[in-house]
Amino acid sequence: MELQFSITPEHTRMRIGALLEQELLKDDQLQARLLGHMQRLQDRLLAPLLFFLGLASGLLAIYFPARVLSAQTLIAMVLFAVVFTGSWWFYSDRLLTPLRKRIADNRAKPRAPFRRASQRLIEMKLRTQLKASEGNYRLQLDEQGFTLINTKGKSAKASLAWAQIVRLKVTPDFYSVACAKLDSKGKAYHIPRHSDAMDAELYQQGLTLFLSRVPVSVQS
C-alpha cells in the first residue's frame, strides 16, 4: 500500500512553534550548567587572582624604575612580598566580601536580552532544518516495514522495518516514528495525520494500517 502526502511551509511553521520551547529549555539548561561551572571557577580563582595581581604589581613597581636586579632591589622585593602577604592575610576579607556581594548581585540580574538572542538563533536553526524536509512524499507499506520516499529524487528515501521502531509519538499534526538510533539523536520520521495529496478516506485507512503495524504504543 502507498500513501501520498506533502510537508508544507505551514507544517514547518507549526512544528517550529511546537519545538521552540523544547529547544529553549535545553538551551537554558546548557547555559545554566556552563554558567554554574564558570561561577564556581570564578569563586575559586577570585582570591588567588587578586593576590597575585597585587603582588606582581608591587614587585614590578619596585623593579621598573631602575630595571636592575641589585641586592637593594631584591631586598625591597622580599620585604614588600612579606608585608603584602601579611596584609592580605589579615585584610583580604574586607576587600573580598563587598566584591563577592557585588558579583552575586550582578549574577542575580535578569539576562533576558541573551535569551531573546538565543531564541532567534534557535528559531533560525529550526527553520533551516525543517524547511529541508518540505516537499511531496510517498509512504510505501509492506509486511516487513515501510519506505518513505521524497519525490525530490530517487535517492531521497529511507526504510525502516516494523521491528526496528521503538517510539511512536502523536501531535495534532503528525505521527512521528523512530528507531533506536534516530531516537537517541532526538530525530524521527514525520507522517502528517491528514493529506491533501490523495483521497482523505483512503489516507486515513492507510494510516490505520500503518499504526496497526507499529509494535509500540502511541505517546503524546
Side-chain angles (χ1 to χ4, degrees):
M1 185 173 188
E2 179 175 286
L3 301 181
Q4 298 177 12
F5 61 84
S6 299
I7 295 181
T8 65
E10 180 63 17
H11 284 136
T12 296
R13 186 188 66 78
M14 290 185 292
R15 288 175 67 188
I16 288 174
L19 292 172
L20 186 58
E21 282 302 319
Q22 298 177 22
E23 294 301 317
L24 281 173
L25 179 60
K26 292 179 183 178
D27 185 70
D28 288 344
Q29 292 171 343
L30 176 61
Q31 290 193 26
R33 288 196 298 269
L34 292 175
L35 184 60
H37 176 73
M38 293 300 297
Q39 289 176 353
R40 289 191 296 273
L41 187 63
Q42 184 184 55
D43 291 340
R44 286 197 297 267
L45 294 180
L46 180 62
L49 180 62
L50 290 178
F51 172 78
F52 284 111
L53 283 176
L55 181 61
S57 298
L59 295 176
L60 290 174
I62 294 171
Y63 168 76
F64 267 105
R67 297 189 180 184
V68 176
L69 281 176
S70 62
Q72 183 179 2
T73 302
L74 289 173
I75 291 171
M77 285 182 171
V78 171
L79 288 175
F80 171 78
V82 172
V83 172
F84 181 81
T85 301
S87 300
W88 179 266
W89 181 264
F90 286 105
Y91 299 109
S92 60
D93 283 345
R94 297 183 183 181
L95 169 67
L96 294 174
T97 298
L99 184 58
R100 284 171 174 151
K101 184 179 184 304
R102 179 171 293 184
I103 291 173
D105 291 341
N106 186 60
R107 290 173 180 172
K109 293 179 181 178
R111 296 287 186 261
F114 295 99
R115 196 175 195 274
R116 286 197 294 270
S118 295
Q119 179 173 341
R120 287 194 293 270
L121 289 173
I122 292 171
E123 190 171 353
M124 289 174 58
K125 178 182 176 182
L126 287 173
R127 181 172 287 106
T128 300
Q129 292 175 341
L130 296 179
K131 280 186 72 68
S133 66
E134 292 178 4
N136 299 319
Y137 290 83
R138 290 164 31 221
L139 181 67
Q140 297 175 343
L141 311 178
D142 57 32
E143 294 296 329
Q144 286 72 42
F146 69 85
T147 299
L148 186 61
I149 303 172
N150 187 331
T151 57
K152 291 179 181 177
K154 293 183 179 178
S155 61
K157 67 179 182 179
S159 298
L160 200 63
W162 300 118
Q164 291 178 289
I165 298 175
V166 298
R167 188 175 298 276
L168 171 63
K169 289 186 177 181
V170 61
T171 68
D173 302 292
F174 288 94
Y175 289 107
S176 302
V177 293
C179 60
K181 184 177 180 180
L182 286 175
D183 192 52
S184 66
K185 298 177 181 179
K187 298 180 179 180
Y189 298 117
H190 301 283
I191 302 162
R193 297 179 65 177
H194 305 280
S195 173
D196 294 330
M198 61 182 293
D199 179 77
E201 185 176 350
L202 288 177
Y203 187 77
Q204 292 304 317
Q205 290 175 1
L207 276 183
T208 301
L209 175 61
F210 171 81
L211 294 173
S212 70
R213 298 282 179 84
V214 175
V216 295
S217 301
V218 178
Q219 299 178 353
S220 58

